[in-house]
Amino acid sequence: MTKNTVTHLNQFLFKNPEYSCVQISPKASYFSYVQYKNDMTQLILKPRASPGQLKSIVKIARRVSQYWWTASEKNIIYLEDRLGQGPVLVCLNIKNQISTDIVNRKMIKSVSCSAVDSNLIHIEMKEYKEHYFHVYEYNLTQQTLNVKYHNTQYAELIYNQCGDVEYAIGFVGHEAKLIQVGNKKQRPLFHFTQHDILSIHRFPQLKPKVLNNGLYLISSVKTDTLALYRFDNATQALERISTEDALDQGDIEQVIWDPQTQKPMAYYRAYHRRQHYGFVQSTQIHFDNIKQYITKDKDFEILSQSQDNQHWVVGVYNSQSVPEYIYYDVKAKTFKSLFFADKKINHIDFYKTQCVEIPTRDNKAFPAYFTPTHQTNAPLVILIHGGPHSREFWGWLPVHQWFAHLGFHSLSVNYRGSVGMGRSHLEIANGEWAGRILDDIHDARAWAIAQKHTQAHQVALFGNSFGGYATMMSLLQTPDDFACGVDQMGPGDLIALIQQLPPGWQVNQALINQILALDIDTDAGKQHAKDISPVTHLHKLTKPLLMGYGGRDPIIHPNQAIHITDILKQKNIPVSCLMFENQGHQILDEKIRQAWLNCVALFLKRYLYSRENHKALSLPKSISVIIDNFNLVDRMSS
């Protein structure tokens, strides 16, 4: 590719999505979506009856991460990210397009627009230094905000459509218990597994849901993969909802609810790719219609439903194109493209991502996603997700496409500890941050070499958050196995990580201790944390390491990067480290993201292809250079 083509591709792949948060309004009057264009966020409404006509365009200076329709369709509540204030909750009056701030300088966990009273908004939030989230009620008419439930002990609050807290999840030691609260005597009803809690944390839509005289909940207490249960308050009975997925290895990752009855109508599991299951035959018929419409090389997800459940917005995913959005008329069983899906770059083909199974040294296996470049045998980049209790999904993976066009294979791994693959897959990783998890990453390397996809000396690591930690530890433990590594926001010092966690995380301290199999309040736990921290072993670093950290990261503090680079400087070990000013634990600014991925590409080219003649890069002023021993950055621009 020419230099201009590479630049164009980078800007296309790593820009903020042109269309996101696509919804249909409660009464199906509008399609709505967020559009990023010319450094401006636009919240756009289009009448369903005449989608070619714009009803409203609201321009917002900062990024909008989420929004919610009120049942009356008179207002939209949205979260706007403002520099220095964090997420600000804003109410937009659709008729006069006047925006009113509801909350700022608070940590907001969830927002729910009441279906019972369209004037009421329920917000879970807290002060940044508080440990527990409370439920607040905002009255749109009166523009008043009041505490609905003051929380002093629970990790999760479970409330009904009126905002009344009926249940909660609290920790007693390592155990998470479902507790009945409210006006009744507090009593434990159910014990969740560690797997349950981490799945709910990663997929908030799996949080228990209140119904009349009981609730629905997911659990793996009697199974390896998550099952759906109904708890009845009157009988104290826990009834498993029957399903037709006995052969599916994946966890339930989304339950689709009927907006009218509030009962579950369908769900999907995703071991390799999404598999959809309807609880009733009529829902399964609709799923079969969608599958037939989109063809077998694509996956889908129900993104939004009207209140009468007769109108759906469906997201369609493919490994070779950006997400598409279609409108499904449930009654008529007809489809219509919402026609504002992003377009491919002309004259550039994208690569197909394969679902593969990685065998492990202990005779297990885990799913991974492999995107080969045009060469049969080529350098390989193993991508390590964060968490470790997160996961990769099949679909549009921009980093895979970027690397493929640069001549690299990509392999994203769902190592042990990843959510979505069952309880045994997740919980076996307790205490194995520097053990079995790294073994799985090495086994992925061995698989790729055995399949003749790559050669032993041409494998690199690229990890984010926990993946950055795993990248560093792999380079330190087995340096001969990897050519180089990229650490994006990885913790180098686990003692500092635990001590600096935000207050809200400390609610789950017992669970964190269980996951790490250590307690830094004890001498043995502190020593173990030191033993498995990269900073303890940096003197062993012999392979090139590129690091990137967020200057405002509340989870992995930027002082972690300073600490690592200071140690390496003292030991005269080369490293390059960049700091993304005004970014947190994610790189939300597209220009910073594009510049960072250009640096990653230059770094990998040098140390996977052994080519030293690539020109150093210019960086935007919003990226500062902590150290650059590998001369990746043009010194005149830094």
Side-chain angles (χ1 to χ4, degrees):
M1 292 189 294
T2 65
K3 181 178 178 181
N4 287 339
T5 303
V6 171
T7 301
H8 190 196
L9 179 65
N10 176 286
Q11 292 172 349
F12 171 79
L13 291 173
F14 304 120
K15 67 179 181 179
N16 289 329
E18 193 169 346
Y19 304 98
S20 63
C21 303
V22 184
Q23 298 184 28
I24 192 161
S25 60
K27 298 179 181 179
S29 303
Y30 304 104
F31 297 115
S32 57
Y33 58 96
V34 173
Q35 184 178 64
Y36 299 98
K37 203 168 186 178
N38 301 324
D39 295 326
M40 183 67 69
T41 301
Q42 299 180 134
L43 182 58
I44 298 179
L45 280 59
K46 291 188 176 186
R48 180 174 62 87
S50 53
Q53 172 188 348
L54 294 182
K55 166 68 177 178
S56 175
I57 300 180
V58 181
K59 293 187 176 181
I60 303 159
R62 298 293 177 183
R63 181 179 180 271
V64 172
S65 54
Q66 286 179 283
Y67 69 89
W68 301 264
W69 282 91
T70 59
S72 65
E73 293 189 345
K74 293 180 180 179
N75 303 91
I76 287 178
I77 313 299
Y78 63 87
L79 272 175
E80 177 185 343
D81 294 326
R82 291 186 194 164
L83 189 62
Q85 297 184 48
V88 178
L89 194 64
V90 183
C91 175
L92 169 68
N93 183 302
I94 292 171
K95 184 176 181 180
N96 58 29
Q97 295 200 13
I98 293 176
S99 295
T100 305
D101 288 2
I102 299 175
V103 175
N104 59 23
R105 302 187 187 280
K106 298 286 194 298
M107 184 173 286
I108 298 169
K109 183 176 184 179
S110 69
V111 176
S112 175
C113 295
S114 174
V116 177
D117 184 342
S118 60
N119 277 321
L120 300 181
I121 312 298
H122 297 112
I123 310 159
E124 275 188 272
M125 65 181 183
K126 69 180 185 70
E127 301 284 348
Y128 278 91
K129 293 184 179 180
E130 285 187 287
H131 284 73
Y132 300 100
F133 286 91
H134 317 287
V135 177
Y136 289 77
E137 184 171 87
Y138 181 75
N139 188 300
L140 289 166
T141 303
Q142 301 172 6
Q143 294 190 2
T144 55
L145 181 67
N146 297 302
V147 177
K148 183 81 172 176
Y149 184 90
H150 184 74
N151 180 22
T152 59
Q153 58 184 312
Y154 298 121
E156 289 282 351
L157 300 175
I158 303 164
Y159 48 93
N160 59 27
Q161 293 191 63
C162 296
D164 300 319
V165 176
E166 296 189 22
Y167 306 88
I169 298 175
F171 282 94
V172 180
H174 293 316
E175 289 191 333
K177 296 183 178 182
L178 176 70
I179 300 169
Q180 190 169 11
V181 297
N183 296 324
K184 301 178 182 179
K185 183 180 179 180
Q186 297 181 6
R187 54 176 179 158
L189 302 172
F190 182 78
H191 293 260
F192 288 105
T193 69
Q194 175 193 337
H195 173 233
D196 301 341
I197 294 302
L198 291 171
S199 298
I200 292 170
H201 173 74
R202 184 57 59 184
F203 306 110
Q205 63 269 27
L206 296 181
K207 183 176 174 178
K209 190 176 182 68
V210 175
L211 71 157
N212 290 335
N213 199 34
L215 80 167
Y216 288 100
L217 57 88
I218 56 97
S219 180
S220 58
V221 69
K222 297 180 180 180
T223 54
D224 188 61
T225 55
L226 293 174
L228 182 65
Y229 294 87
R230 182 184 183 275
F231 180 82
D232 190 296
N233 272 344
T235 65
Q236 297 288 289
L238 187 68
E239 174 194 6
R240 182 174 175 179
I241 309 297
S242 112
T243 57
E244 299 295 333
D245 57 6
L247 298 179
D248 201 315
Q249 298 169 275
D251 282 321
I252 293 175
E253 294 193 354
Q254 182 171 334
V255 179
I256 302 169
W257 305 93
D258 187 307
Q260 291 183 304
T261 66
Q262 295 299 303
K263 293 182 178 180
M265 52 182 276
Y267 63 100
Y268 76 70
R269 297 184 185 272
Y271 181 75
H272 279 301
R273 290 174 57 173
R274 291 179 179 89
Q275 300 295 323
H276 297 78
Y277 304 95
F279 284 114
V280 293
Q281 184 61 27
S282 59
T283 303
Q284 191 62 52
I285 289 172
H286 293 307
F287 286 171
D288 292 342
N289 288 342
I290 294 171
K291 289 176 185 176
Q292 187 173 4
Y293 177 79
I294 66 173
T295 70
K296 67 179 181 180
D297 64 334
K298 298 179 181 179
D299 283 351
F300 73 92
E301 185 178 3
I302 308 302
L303 299 177
S304 179
Q305 302 154 265
S306 61
Q307 189 58 42
D308 63 6
N309 202 33
Q310 295 301 298
H311 308 273
W312 296 353
V313 170
V314 180
V316 180
Y317 308 102
N318 186 307
S319 67
Q320 294 176 274
S321 62
V322 295
E324 305 170 52
Y325 304 98
I326 57 175
Y327 161 53
Y328 180 60
D329 186 315
V330 174
K331 185 176 181 180
K333 298 180 182 177
T334 58
F335 299 89
K336 188 171 186 178
S337 170
L338 292 183
F339 61 80
F340 44 74
D342 212 336
K343 296 180 180 179
K344 293 181 179 180
I345 299 179
N346 293 334
H347 311 304
I348 293 183
D349 294 325
F350 290 108
Y351 295 80
K352 184 175 289 187
T353 299
Q354 305 168 7
C355 299
V356 298
E357 195 86 353
I358 305 296
T360 65
R361 63 192 66 187
D362 57 351
N363 298 317
K364 304 291 184 182
F366 61 86
Y369 302 111
F370 178 61
T371 305
T373 187
H374 53 81
Q375 296 173 307
T376 303
N377 190 293
L380 171 71
V381 183
I382 298 177
L383 294 135
I384 314 169
H385 66 68
H389 307 298
S390 183
R391 67 156 297 170
E392 297 286 1
F393 283 96
W394 181 88
W396 176 243
L397 300 171
V399 174
H400 279 228
Q401 298 298 331
W402 175 238
F403 288 156
H405 279 94
L406 295 173
F408 307 140
H409 298 321
S410 296
L411 182 64
S412 288
V413 291
N414 282 318
Y415 50 80
R416 254 81 66 90
S418 303
V419 295
M421 272 56 75
R423 182 177 177 181
S424 58
H425 185 87
L426 182 142
E427 293 184 3
I428 199 173
N430 286 351
E432 295 289 340
W433 276 34
R436 186 173 271 115
I437 294 177
L438 299 192
D439 289 345
D440 285 352
I441 294 165
H442 285 69
D443 290 343
R445 170 186 179 272
W447 171 87
I449 295 169
Q451 297 293 317
K452 301 189 184 306
H453 293 310
T454 192
Q455 298 181 57
H457 66 283
Q458 286 189 303
V459 182
L461 298 174
F462 182 7
N464 178 59
S465 192
F466 168 81
Y469 163 87
T471 293
M472 288 188 283
M473 285 303 290
S474 295
L475 291 182
L476 296 169
Q477 286 188 357
T478 53
D480 293 340
D481 288 349
F482 302 102
C484 58
V486 181
D487 156 32
Q488 180 174 305
M489 302 174 189
D493 184 337
L494 295 187
I495 295 175
L497 169 69
I498 296 169
Q499 290 174 336
Q500 295 172 343
L501 285 174
W505 286 53
Q506 294 168 10
V507 174
N508 303 325
Q509 188 64 58
L511 179 62
I512 292 170
N513 292 345
Q514 183 181 11
I515 292 167
L516 286 165
L518 59 82
D519 181 350
I520 65 167
D521 290 333
T522 67
D523 291 340
K526 188 170 289 186
Q527 184 60 49
H528 181 51
K530 185 178 179 181
D531 290 343
I532 64 172
S533 290
V535 291
T536 305
H537 307 281
L538 287 175
H539 61 281
K540 302 175 186 176
L541 184 65
T542 59
K543 294 298 176 65
L545 173 66
L546 169 63
M547 302 163 59
Y549 284 78
R552 293 175 177 263
D553 193 334
I555 300 171
I556 311 299
H557 284 223
N559 58 19
Q560 291 256 4
I562 303 300
H563 189 193
I564 294 170
T565 54
D566 282 349
I567 293 173
L568 293 174
K569 281 181 188 177
Q570 292 169 10
K571 298 183 180 301
N572 294 316
I573 299 173
V575 65
S576 286
C577 181
L578 307 181
M579 189 71 71
F580 316 125
E581 307 297 341
N582 300 321
Q583 299 299 294
H585 199 53
Q586 300 179 65
I587 306 175
L588 300 178
D589 186 296
E590 63 180 30
K591 289 184 173 59
I592 293 179
R593 189 161 54 242
Q594 290 162 359
W596 166 240
L597 269 298
N598 273 331
C599 282
V600 171
L602 175 57
F603 177 77
L604 293 175
K605 283 179 182 178
R606 285 188 178 173
Y607 298 106
L608 287 178
Y609 281 136
S610 298
R611 297 175 182 172
E612 298 294 339
N613 59 344
H614 295 280
K615 186 178 179 181
L617 300 168
S618 297
L619 295 181
K621 293 181 179 179
S622 48
I623 300 180
S624 59
V625 178
I626 305 302
I627 188 171
D628 184 24
N629 294 137
F630 301 130
N631 299 317
L632 302 173
V633 179
D634 184 344
R635 297 185 187 278
M636 297 297 293
S637 72
S638 61

